[in-house]
Amino acid sequence: MAPPAAIRWFSVVLALMLCYLITPSTAIYCDEDDCYDLLGVTQSANSSEIKKAYYKLSLKHHPDKNPDPESKKLFVKIANAYEILKDEASREQYDYAIAHPEEVFYNTARYYQAYYGHKTDPRAVLVGLLLVLSSFQYLNQWTRYNQAVDMVKKTPAYKNRLRALELERSGGTTNKKKSNRQMNKKVEEDLGSELELQINGAEQPSMWDLLGVRFILLPYTIGKLLLWCGCWFWRYKVKKAPYTWDDASYLTRRSLGAPIDGWRNLDESRKEDLIHKRLWEKANLESYLADMRKESKRRR
């Protein structure tokens, strides 16, 4: 059983929704009044008639002309009605709300979109969005890369490479006292800058991988892809030429679903063995996968 507090809240929300549905959708424009009636014109009046009626009423009810408080309130309503009817787009929306009062949610959404939606050029918004996303992307890549480098520098393998590089630079001689204590931090930084760290999954950030740069180069990328597809179709579908090593490597990697980095880290003999199996052919791939499953079960 729901607690009394929950029932009360549900009743309040339900009452608000009913009031919202009962309220005419035209009320969001000129409250309970009719915009045309406020200006004293018909719905078929043209823009010139609406403008003339507004100027006539403004001379009568403007606060500078009429100090009456009620006249001031009426002038605010008249000015609001004129703002709605003088614009073709907002007038069209208002006329639609009059003709379709049952479409409350739709009319309300159109009203708020027109009056509170952004007025900025969509192209400027797109450029700004790409710049912000690219900045966050670049910062995130650098953060991941630095964290990965810090983790690698704490491993024994990295420290052994540093000691080997130190021995190489010192001609194979080292100070025993120095070897018994930790390497000087400055020397470690100098030697570490000479080592090329290849970290899978956290490569050094590149400007070419940023979302904004890729978007700018999208036409070039699409053109290059179409050209590549055309050359592929002509060479291997029409001329029936044998696959080159690079193309056979691409087909093998795609057939196995292997990531680019994982494929690059394979030794050349393993790559050559997989390419010779012609795994891009369905029968060969199924046979290879079946053998791999049998081998996996045997090892268990």
Side-chain angles (χ1 to χ4, degrees):
M1 182 176 179
I7 295 176
R8 286 198 299 269
W9 274 108
F10 178 76
S11 301
V12 171
V13 173
L14 183 60
L16 291 174
M17 291 181 64
L18 288 174
C19 291
Y20 181 77
L21 291 173
I22 294 172
T23 303
S25 57
T26 55
I28 57 177
Y29 290 90
C30 294
D31 295 330
E32 299 299 327
D33 300 309
D34 185 287
C35 295
Y36 290 103
D37 291 342
L38 286 171
L39 294 178
V41 296
T42 63
Q43 192 171 350
S44 60
N46 56 38
S47 58
S48 177
E49 293 172 343
I50 292 174
K51 185 176 181 180
K52 184 178 179 180
Y54 167 71
Y55 282 136
K56 182 179 179 180
L57 291 171
S58 64
L59 290 174
K60 180 179 179 182
H61 298 284
H62 195 280
D64 294 340
K65 303 290 184 179
N66 192 337
D68 185 14
E70 294 299 324
S71 183
K72 181 179 180 181
K73 294 180 182 179
L74 182 58
F75 175 76
V76 173
K77 293 183 178 182
I78 293 171
N80 179 59
Y82 178 66
E83 288 295 322
I84 293 171
L85 298 181
K86 75 175 183 178
D87 182 71
E88 293 295 333
S90 61
R91 182 180 178 181
E92 185 273 331
Q93 292 180 4
Y94 179 66
D95 290 343
Y96 186 89
I98 294 175
H100 303 83
E102 73 282 357
E103 299 182 15
V104 179
F105 293 105
Y106 177 71
N107 292 325
T108 305
R110 293 185 71 189
Y111 172 81
Y112 285 112
Q113 181 183 11
Y115 285 92
Y116 299 101
H118 65 81
K119 305 297 183 181
T120 310
D121 189 343
R123 293 170 294 184
V125 175
L126 178 61
V127 171
L129 181 62
L130 288 175
L131 288 175
V132 171
L133 292 178
S134 298
S135 300
F136 277 110
Q137 181 186 5
Y138 193 70
L139 180 62
N140 177 61
Q141 289 177 353
W142 264 114
T143 302
R144 289 181 55 200
Y145 178 74
N146 291 330
Q147 290 176 347
V149 168
D150 291 339
M151 292 180 63
V152 169
K153 287 183 176 180
K154 296 178 182 178
T155 60
Y158 176 79
K159 294 179 179 179
N160 291 336
R161 289 179 63 187
L162 279 181
R163 295 187 186 281
L165 184 59
E166 185 186 22
L167 288 173
E168 181 181 345
R169 290 179 57 178
S170 61
T173 60
T174 183
N175 190 336
K176 292 184 178 181
K177 293 182 180 180
K178 187 177 180 180
S179 61
N180 291 333
R181 66 177 186 271
Q182 287 187 344
M183 190 181 301
N184 183 274
K185 188 174 182 180
K186 186 175 185 305
V187 175
E188 183 177 351
E189 290 178 356
D190 294 340
L191 294 175
S193 62
E194 298 183 19
L195 293 177
E196 294 184 0
L197 297 179
Q198 300 294 335
I199 305 173
N200 295 331
E203 290 75 18
Q204 189 169 356
S206 172
M207 296 293 293
W208 298 105
D209 295 331
L210 296 181
L211 181 64
V213 177
R214 289 190 173 185
F215 182 81
I216 294 173
L217 297 178
L218 184 60
Y220 167 77
T221 304
I222 294 176
K224 186 177 179 181
L225 178 62
L226 292 175
L227 179 61
W228 180 83
C229 291
C231 293
W232 184 283
F233 181 81
W234 173 257
R235 182 182 300 169
Y236 300 125
K237 300 297 182 181
V238 178
K239 298 181 67 176
K240 304 295 183 181
Y243 293 114
T244 64
W245 174 266
D246 291 337
D247 291 340
S249 176
Y250 163 75
L251 288 173
T252 304
R253 180 181 65 80
R254 191 181 68 173
S255 300
L256 294 173
I260 297 178
D261 295 333
W263 179 258
R264 288 175 180 170
N265 292 330
L266 285 178
D267 56 88
E268 293 301 322
S269 60
R270 178 61 174 164
K271 288 182 183 179
E272 186 175 356
D273 178 60
L274 291 173
I275 291 173
H276 284 319
K277 292 181 183 295
R278 300 180 65 86
L279 298 179
W280 55 87
E281 296 179 2
K282 186 176 180 180
N284 295 340
L285 178 62
E286 291 177 350
S287 176
Y288 172 76
L289 293 177
D291 293 341
M292 292 296 293
R293 285 192 288 268
K294 289 180 183 178
E295 181 65 20
S296 178
K297 290 181 180 179
R298 187 185 65 79
R299 291 180 179 179
R300 293 177 184 176

